[in-house]
């Protein structure tokens, strides 16, 4: 995270939202949830107006059994994109647990 913060405005280290998301999901698919969370947190810092980055961070928190943090991020995702059906589904799933 520290390296990201140091270089986040340096165009030589520029990653797109989708590239960062792919890295995060790579970690999730390989049972490296903590690493995925860190990547998704960086994506939220880099792209705070994107519904998708909050949805992805919510998914990682949910997989790591941090339901309050998952709920917070799914709600933010839904706030930014009221048509996000995935966020709606997981908000209900978390509330019903």
């Amino acid at each position: 995270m520290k390296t990201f913060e140091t270089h986040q405005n340096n165009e030589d280290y520029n990653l797109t939202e989708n590239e960062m998301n792919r890295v995060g999901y790579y970690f999730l698919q390989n049972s490296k949830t903590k690493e995925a969370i860190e990547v998704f947190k960086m994506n939220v810092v880099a792209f705070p107006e994107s519904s998708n980055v909050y949805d992805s961070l919510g998914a990682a928190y949910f997989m790591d059994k941090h339901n309050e943090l998952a709920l917070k991020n799914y709600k933010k995702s839904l706030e930014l994109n009221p048509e996000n059906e995935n966020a709606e589904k997981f908000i209900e799933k978390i509330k019903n647990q």
Side-chain angles (χ1 to χ4, degrees):
M1 185 76 158
K2 192 170 195 160
T3 301
F4 170 76
E5 290 169 353
T6 301
H7 297 291
Q8 80 182 66
N9 294 320
N10 183 332
E11 290 192 23
D12 292 335
Y13 292 92
N14 191 15
L15 290 174
T16 69
E17 173 189 336
N18 289 334
E19 289 169 332
M20 290 178 75
N21 238 32
R22 278 196 298 270
V23 171
Y25 276 106
Y26 170 83
F27 284 130
L28 275 184
Q29 292 166 353
N30 288 282
S31 302
K32 295 187 179 289
T33 310
K34 304 277 189 241
E35 291 87 344
I37 288 170
E38 290 305 312
V39 170
F40 292 138
K41 284 167 56 177
M42 288 186 269
N43 217 8
V44 164
V45 169
F47 302 97
E49 299 303 315
S50 169
S51 169
N52 188 50
V53 298
Y54 291 97
D55 189 85
S56 298
L57 182 54
Y61 279 132
F62 183 79
M63 289 182 71
D64 205 37
K65 309 228 183 306
H66 286 95
N67 287 351
E68 287 301 315
L69 291 170
L71 186 61
K72 175 184 170 189
N73 282 280
Y74 280 125
K75 285 181 175 180
K76 180 65 175 180
S77 178
L78 193 59
E79 175 187 317
L80 292 169
N81 176 10
E83 296 178 13
N84 184 344
E85 293 176 6
N86 186 64
E88 287 179 339
K89 180 179 91 173
F90 274 92
I91 288 169
E92 284 304 309
K93 189 173 189 173
I94 294 165
K95 285 182 177 180
N96 292 326
Q97 286 186 345

